[in-house]
Amino acid sequence: MSAVSVVDADRDPEGTGLRTIDELATAAGLTVRTTRYYASLGLLPPPARRGRMAWYDDTHLARLEMIRALQGHGFSLQAVEGFLSSLPEDAGVEELAVQRAMLTSWTVGAPQEFSRRQLDQHAGRRLSDDEIALIEELGMVHRSGDEGAERFTPVHGFDVAVALLDLDIPVSGMRLAGEAISHHMSALAGDLTVILRDEVIEPWRREQNHSRDEAAQLEGTLARLRQLTLDAIVSAFRRSANDVIARSLHRR
């Protein structure tokens, strides 16, 4: 990452938007220790210097907000580090806001990791080894750790998978349904992401000199758009299901 230009030693930084490490940490909602740790990993560009004082600008704050947002959506620090290293060295506040909005637009919260006992509590009943294996096969829970000290991370849809286990339907049917849903949802998510980028993000990006408030407004708009999109998907599926039923009745 390129260094921020050095502040003139004779210039008073007050009023320029620059912050000390303490002020930066407070603005980002982090401790100074955590902020220094992120900086030591290279997640922040070097600060500006005025004598022996280090000063941080809005770009530093935007990067910290990016880290917090991505971690809050379940991304590991290693994944965040890899992503930040791929950004242009001169990426500013606006670009960071756009990237953060794109990455978090469809995600809906950080996943939780459970022990086996906690997983049963989360499911509301005791799950057998075979049931957990099936839910894992359906992609609704991820397993990690060594045998005897395994950890389980349910993903969205875990509760649905548990409810399906209580129905008297063939396991083969559950597998086929899971494969169909996964296939079509992956394709749909890809198409919607392209539309979001081309029709919403890129036009916004072409407008110059957005403020931090405007960047925050964009992120809020995308969060609302996410919910409306999910509602539209459910409604569209219901319409399609009704069309299938209507065609079936017509043929009969």
Side-chain angles (χ1 to χ4, degrees), residues 91-219:
V93 173
E94 181 178 322
E95 179 63 22
L96 290 169
V98 168
Q99 294 289 343
R100 184 178 71 192
M102 279 293 294
L103 286 171
T104 62
S105 56
W106 301 124
T107 48
V108 289
Q112 292 180 284
E113 190 179 70
F114 297 121
S115 66
R116 175 61 185 272
R117 179 171 173 272
Q118 290 171 328
L119 184 69
D120 288 341
Q121 291 175 339
H122 182 67
R125 67 174 179 83
R126 179 79 168 86
L127 296 171
S128 69
D129 292 342
D130 288 343
E131 287 177 326
I132 292 178
L134 177 58
I135 296 174
E136 184 179 16
E137 183 180 340
L138 294 174
M140 299 305 177
V141 69
H142 300 312
R143 191 193 309 243
S144 61
D146 299 326
E147 187 174 355
E150 292 174 309
R151 306 292 293 179
F152 301 88
T153 304
V155 301
H156 297 285
F158 173 82
D159 294 340
V160 174
V162 172
L164 283 173
L165 294 174
D166 295 329
L167 298 180
D168 186 20
I169 59 175
V171 171
S172 60
M174 293 175 57
R175 288 195 178 99
L176 290 172
E179 291 172 1
I181 291 171
S182 177
H183 170 72
H184 291 290
M185 289 300 101
S186 294
L188 179 60
D191 290 344
L192 290 177
T193 298
V194 170
I195 294 170
L196 175 67
R197 182 194 65 206
D198 294 347
E199 302 298 328
V200 179
I201 297 295
E202 289 303 328
W204 188 88
R205 180 185 272 138
R206 286 194 292 270
E207 299 175 8
Q208 301 297 317
N209 302 319
H210 290 291
S211 67
R212 285 180 57 82
D213 288 342
E214 289 173 326
Q217 184 178 8
L218 171 68
E219 195 163 2

Side-chain angles (χ1 to χ4, degrees), residues 216-238:
Q217 184 178 8
L218 171 68
E219 195 163 2
T221 297
L222 292 180
R224 178 59 178 152
L225 178 62
R226 176 190 68 203
Q227 185 57 55
L228 292 174
T229 301
L230 295 176
D231 292 342
I233 290 171
V234 173
S235 297
F237 178 80
R238 287 172 175 164

Side-chain angles (χ1 to χ4, degrees), residues 7-22:
V7 177
D8 184 352
D10 296 327
R11 190 177 72 182
D12 186 349
E14 185 175 350
T16 64
L18 297 177
R19 301 174 177 85
T20 64
I21 186 71
D22 299 74

Side-chain angles (χ1 to χ4, degrees), residues 35-74:
T35 303
R36 291 188 188 278
Y37 175 63
Y38 289 159
S40 71
L41 295 177
L43 302 183
L44 300 179
R49 293 285 177 180
R50 184 174 184 267
R52 287 186 289 182
M53 287 293 295
W55 297 96
Y56 300 84
D57 61 17
D58 284 345
T59 302
H60 295 96
L61 179 57
R63 284 184 177 267
L64 289 176
E65 289 172 342
M66 168 81 82
I67 295 168
R68 288 198 66 190
L70 293 179
Q71 286 192 302
H73 283 78

